[in-house]
Amino acid sequence: LAWAGLGSLARQPHDLMYFNEWVGGPEQGWRWSVIGDDWGQDTAALGRWMADRQLDWIYYDPYTEGDPERWGVRYRPTFGGQNLDEPGQPWVAVHVAMLVRFPEAYTFLAGKKPVETIGHTIFLYQLTPEEMRAARTAPPRKSF
């Protein structure tokens, strides 16, 4: 009981994404469940991440009813990789729920590991110009 309580407290302020260590903790919790675990709580952290790196905008597929721009997240959706047309902007942020629910829209990220993760729910990838070109020229995918 003490272990569960301490583990939960150690995960603050990410308590919505708490998973115990038996299933891999919050870092692996998305493999078990992404439904209802996110209410946009990491969008503000993505906005701060962008501000720290002085990014004007980012490719991003949010999973929220809110307006990400309210939190400083200026973005363009990826549309399954078809929208990746700015070679100077290599950053792609995808909410883990989108990756799980619509894997066919993210085949352009297959085999890539996120460079960073924002609060256990937003995965950040950095693509090379060649990877962006391949994503754009691939056959159209089912979109979300």
Side-chain angles (χ1 to χ4, degrees):
L1 185 60
W3 172 57
L6 289 174
S8 178
L9 288 173
R11 300 297 182 220
Q12 297 300 321
H14 302 285
D15 55 326
L16 287 177
M17 287 302 294
Y18 173 74
F19 288 86
N20 68 38
E21 289 72 21
W22 287 338
V23 299
E27 293 80 18
Q28 298 299 316
W30 65 271
R31 296 179 187 276
W32 295 90
S33 172
V34 295
I35 308 303
D37 294 336
D38 180 54
W39 294 53
Q41 71 267 18
D42 293 328
T43 307
L46 178 59
R48 289 188 300 275
W49 181 89
M50 289 177 63
D52 290 347
R53 284 152 185 81
Q54 299 177 349
L55 292 175
D56 292 330
W57 64 277
I58 191 170
Y59 289 108
Y60 178 45
D61 289 331
Y63 180 74
T64 180
E65 294 294 322
D67 179 10
E69 293 196 15
R70 176 178 178 208
W71 303 105
V73 180
R74 291 162 309 285
Y75 71 98
R76 290 173 58 185
T78 68
F79 292 116
Q82 302 297 307
N83 199 31
L84 303 178
D85 58 1
E86 290 287 334
Q89 177 50 282
W91 287 104
V92 175
V94 183
H95 193 283
V96 67
M98 300 297 281
L99 290 171
V100 170
R101 288 182 163 194
F102 307 103
E104 66 280 358
Y106 298 100
T107 56
F108 68 97
L109 295 174
K112 286 191 73 69
K113 294 200 182 298
V115 175
E116 292 186 51
T117 303
I118 305 289
H120 309 297
T121 64
I122 298 173
F123 289 1
L124 290 155
Y125 301 88
Q126 200 167 21
L127 301 182
T128 65
E130 294 79 24
E131 290 170 325
M132 292 177 74
R133 189 170 26 266
R136 283 192 315 272
T137 58
R141 299 164 191 86
K142 180 180 172 186
S143 189
F144 34 84

